[in-house]
Amino acid sequence: MPTTHTDSPHLSASAAVVVGIDGSDGADLAVRWAAETAARRGRRLLITYGLNLAAAQAVFGGYDLMVPAVAETLREEGATRLKAAARLAHRVAPDVHVDTELSPARPAPLLIERSKSAHLLALGAGQGGQLARIGSTLLAVTAHGHGNVVVVRDTATEELVRHRGPVVVGIDGSRACEPAIAAAFTEASIHNSTLVAVHAASDMSVHPRAGLTGLLPARELETAAQQVLAEQLAGWQEKFPDVHVTREVAAAAPRNLLTTWSKSAQLLVVGSRGRGGFLGLLLGSTSNFLVQHARCPVMVAHDAQKESK
């Protein structure tokens, strides 16, 4: 049976839905999604903006008289963006309590710190690949954040945030994906949606839980993949009897399979680490690709047990 962590700070009644902004269209989309999520769950919304004053000082540090003026300009700009984001959140969810935070810190460390006590943390993404460079805020937060981090991506349709369709979770054959399974069942229950558990059978090279190694013929590969899904989903259906689960196995690269599903899903859930059927499901590979290219929000679920150690 899956384990539960009732003492998790992410489940505390005081835990807020946190969203980081930077003034971009992607950030506005994240504010919309976060406001709707906070309203649905009866939680407050915290909108945060990191000024990164240290970087400005590094640029203008040689001109002592310019630094105060630059810092003040950055603060005014940040305050303006926070006010605009708060107005947007109230238009989307009029009854949600909204707090704002203007911090001198760099955005990535600020958001990673806030994620420790957040119910979940959301941030937006621009069009495919804009945040691909190593060290970007998006990749740093999804790799090193705590709890569930959601990258809100445009669906590339008139419905910018999709409210229909299944919750889809990538199953990789390792224990490391259990946080993603737990998050996916929870989200499917909250959204009253079907849960689709998918496995890329073509990437099965090592499945120690199934006692399999090496390459297998297609029929045996599919049978083994179904066994992996059955083992990893065991117990969760009993815990969430209201969630209808569909199991899908396909001979495809993990990133291609999950990207295809993202075109119809309302949420895609992946683990922050992984092996097995989703070989290389590490941020920097499959998950890295998905948070930049998926057609729906992508939730990266981190291991609560490791966080508590």
Side-chain angles (χ1 to χ4, degrees):
M1 280 291 293
T3 57
T4 58
H5 306 282
T6 55
D7 58 345
S8 169
H10 310 297
L11 301 179
S12 167
S14 62
V17 172
V18 179
V19 58
I21 67 165
D22 60 5
S24 66
D25 290 341
D28 286 348
L29 189 62
V31 169
R32 289 179 176 275
W33 186 92
E36 291 178 352
T37 298
R40 183 182 300 114
R41 304 182 189 193
R43 294 185 177 273
R44 67 185 179 94
L45 176 66
L46 173 62
I47 307 173
T48 185
Y49 184 91
L51 293 171
N52 198 3
L53 290 184
Q57 183 148 3
V59 173
F60 297 104
Y63 304 91
D64 294 338
L65 295 178
M66 293 182 64
V67 173
V70 170
E72 183 59 29
T73 298
L74 290 174
R75 289 191 185 95
E76 291 176 355
E77 180 180 327
T80 298
R81 288 178 173 176
L82 282 171
K83 289 179 181 178
R87 288 195 298 269
L88 174 59
H90 278 131
R91 287 200 300 271
V92 172
D95 295 331
V96 167
H97 178 83
V98 178
D99 291 319
T100 60
E101 176 188 28
L102 184 63
S103 170
R106 289 188 295 124
L110 173 64
L111 293 173
I112 291 169
E113 180 64 26
R114 294 294 170 267
S115 73
K116 292 179 180 179
S117 58
H119 175 64
L120 59 80
L121 185 141
L123 65 165
Q127 293 301 313
Q130 287 184 1
L131 294 175
R133 63 187 184 281
I134 299 299
S136 73
T137 297
L138 183 151
L139 296 183
V141 175
T142 51
H144 302 291
H146 303 263
N148 296 329
V149 176
V150 179
V151 177
V152 184
R153 296 202 49 81
D154 194 328
T155 63
T157 67
E158 291 183 2
E159 187 182 22
L160 297 181
V161 178
R162 191 177 296 120
H163 297 94
R164 298 181 301 274
V167 171
V168 177
V169 59
I171 304 292
D172 69 4
S174 73
R175 293 186 182 277
C177 75
E178 288 189 2
I181 297 173
F185 268 95
T186 299
E187 294 300 317
S189 180
I190 291 172
H191 290 275
N192 193 28
S193 69
T194 296
L195 174 62
V196 179
V198 300
H199 182 82
S202 63
D203 268 9
M204 180 180 290
S205 56
V206 179
H207 277 304
R209 295 181 69 185
L212 299 168
T213 60
L215 299 178
L216 298 173
R219 181 174 298 178
E220 286 83 351
L221 189 62
E222 181 176 353
T223 299
Q226 292 290 354
Q227 181 182 348
V228 168
L229 284 177
E231 289 185 358
Q232 294 212 273
L233 295 175
W236 288 104
Q237 187 69 78
E238 289 77 9
K239 186 177 180 181
F240 292 89
D242 60 316
V243 176
H244 175 72
V245 181
T246 299
R247 302 176 186 181
E248 295 288 340
V249 173
R255 64 170 59 180
N256 295 338
L257 178 59
L258 291 174
T259 300
T260 297
W261 272 105
S262 76
K263 296 175 183 178
S264 59
Q266 62 177 297
L267 181 68
L268 186 64
V269 185
V270 295
S272 59
R273 296 291 184 271
R275 294 192 299 256
F278 281 90
L279 190 63
L281 191 57
L282 299 168
L283 288 161
S285 57
T286 300
S287 295
N288 185 332
F289 181 87
L290 292 170
V291 299
Q292 297 177 71
H293 298 284
R295 294 292 184 86
C296 71
V298 179
M299 175 178 284
V300 180
H302 295 266
D303 191 339
Q305 286 182 302
K306 289 183 179 180
E307 291 175 16
S308 63
K309 293 180 180 179

